[in-house]
Amino acid sequence: MKIFLKLIASIFFFLSILVIYMSLIGLETTRFNNQIIKKIGNINKDLKVELKEIKIILDPLNLKLQAKTIGPRLKNNNKILEIQSIKIQVPISSLLSEKILIENVAISTETLKIKDLISFIRVFNRSPELYFLEKIIKKGFLIANIKLNFDKEGNIKNDYKIKGFIKDANIDILKKYKFKNFNFDYEYKISNLDLRNISFLFNDLKINSKNLNIDN
């Protein structure tokens, strides 16, 4: 009986150490790389991602795994975007199935030039609005944090969010209307764009606004 109790205690101690290690330090693996590449490909078939090793951290209270990769790159033909990190959330129960279920993906960009981002998007979206936008924006920088949720079939839900800020943007419309030093925070949800802390010069007239909400 004592041997059995010692065995149970040893197993419990080992599992406790393993949970603590996975919760605080985690481990690195490439197992989720194909899953992330596939999810990114669901956004657009021409969109490719280059990944490094992924670090996995255990969330024991919610029975989920948090996986994160640093410094990936998005590629679209000859256009490249530098990404700060990609994070995914996976329920532990899905590891026992043939298909790993990714619940959500969070993408954080590096500081990007707005013109480079628009040029990147226009490779697979040739809308006239983007062409016009690319022409009138002269300079500026952008950071975006994108949150995508997936259903059980692996499809992107319509509750995605994009948050970030735009800094030092210059817009020139027909050389008549000039916006300089355009700065604001933004949050985009489906059919809604919320702008905050807006400041810019319009033909050298200084304009500030705390909030602007745009529907549809």
Side-chain angles (χ1 to χ4, degrees), residues 36-153:
I36 294 179
I37 291 170
K38 186 176 179 180
K39 295 301 179 185
I40 298 297
N42 286 344
I43 300 173
N44 186 278
K45 63 181 178 61
D46 295 323
L47 197 58
K48 310 297 181 184
V49 59
E50 293 181 355
L51 296 175
K52 300 178 182 178
E53 281 193 330
I54 295 174
K55 188 169 187 178
I56 298 177
I57 298 292
L58 175 66
D59 182 357
L61 297 179
N62 296 310
L63 298 178
K64 298 181 187 298
L65 294 176
Q66 308 288 344
K68 180 178 181 180
T69 181
I70 302 296
R73 303 200 306 171
L74 287 178
K75 299 179 67 176
N76 194 345
N77 293 335
N78 62 335
K79 304 289 185 179
I80 297 176
L81 283 186
E82 300 293 339
I83 303 299
Q84 185 182 81
S85 67
I86 296 178
K87 300 178 184 178
I88 66 173
Q89 182 172 277
V90 178
I92 294 176
S93 59
S94 75
L95 299 180
L96 302 177
S97 63
E98 294 182 1
K99 183 179 179 181
I100 296 176
L101 174 64
I102 294 180
E103 292 184 337
N104 60 62
V105 174
I107 302 173
S108 297
T109 72
E110 298 284 2
T111 300
L112 304 174
K113 291 182 179 179
I114 298 175
K115 289 183 73 70
D116 289 348
L117 178 61
I118 296 173
S119 177
F120 181 86
I121 296 172
R122 287 194 66 241
V123 173
F124 54 85
N125 186 338
R126 292 290 182 176
S127 70
E129 293 87 357
L130 285 174
Y131 174 80
F132 177 71
L133 196 60
E134 187 177 22
K135 292 299 181 182
I136 66 173
I137 292 180
K138 303 307 177 183
K139 72 169 190 174
F141 302 91
L142 171 147
I143 279 183
N145 296 300
I146 306 165
K147 179 70 174 293
L148 305 173
N149 294 314
F150 296 87
D151 60 23
K152 292 182 179 180
E153 302 300 322

Side-chain angles (χ1 to χ4, degrees), residues 4-18:
F4 178 75
L5 291 176
K6 287 182 179 179
L7 179 61
I8 295 297
S10 298
I11 293 174
F12 179 78
F13 177 76
F14 173 77
L15 290 177
S16 298
I17 295 298
L18 181 62

